[in-house]
Amino acid sequence: QVQLAESGGGSVQAGGSLRLSCAASPYTYSSMNSISWFRQVPGKEREGVAAIRTGTKTTTYADSVKGRFTISQDNAKNTVYLQMNSLKPEDTAMYYCAARRATTYGGSLVPSNYVAWGQGTQVTVSS
């Protein structure tokens, strides 16, 4: 069964840091080769933030978070992390992780390419 569970969200002041975790079921982690983070603000489309190919550890980032966010994985824990530094108020959103079995490297930040989603964790950054 494909399962993903996010944790680590919270409230922080601008300039602060948070680390989000995406824990995957063993089946999900072994059968999917790409896990990504997305975020969404009410009334706006879901936005890709960062992606990692778990086999090659190849990463992709949205321009808005490059240099501030880092995606990483821990194979022993079936978990993908999103370290968020230098947070800005515009980073406030619900953050979701998602998984797919990718055949290409393209489209890693496109929500419609993903078949499995977690429930989300809220991140609020105050100025």
Side-chain angles (χ1 to χ4, degrees):
Q1 186 175 3
V2 177
Q3 290 183 325
L4 298 164
E6 302 94 336
S7 62
S11 297
V12 65
Q13 289 191 327
S17 299
L18 283 173
R19 188 178 78 158
L20 306 183
S21 298
C22 173
S25 66
Y27 171 79
T28 301
Y29 203 80
S30 63
S31 62
M32 304 291 175
N33 63 2
S34 180
I35 297 180
S36 300
W37 286 95
F38 295 82
R39 64 187 182 187
Q40 189 168 24
V41 175
K44 293 190 176 181
E45 293 186 354
R46 195 163 291 190
E47 172 192 21
V49 175
I52 190 165
R53 289 290 290 263
T54 53
T56 62
K57 298 187 179 179
T58 302
T59 58
T60 304
Y61 294 94
D63 288 342
S64 59
V65 306
K66 280 181 181 176
R68 300 189 298 122
F69 292 10
T70 302
I71 190 170
S72 62
Q73 64 189 70
D74 184 334
N75 293 338
K77 296 182 178 179
N78 297 332
T79 299
V80 169
Y81 302 99
L82 185 67
Q83 178 68 44
M84 305 186 296
N85 298 328
S86 302
L87 282 162
K88 305 175 180 179
E90 52 262 44
D91 294 318
T92 295
M94 183 71 78
Y95 282 71
Y96 300 89
C97 65
R100 68 171 181 161
R101 181 71 187 175
T103 56
T104 67
Y105 281 93
S108 60
L109 297 181
V110 178
S112 60
N113 288 336
Y114 287 78
V115 297
W117 292 84
Q119 294 300 307
T121 185
Q122 178 68 37
V123 171
T124 302
V125 184
S126 59
S127 58

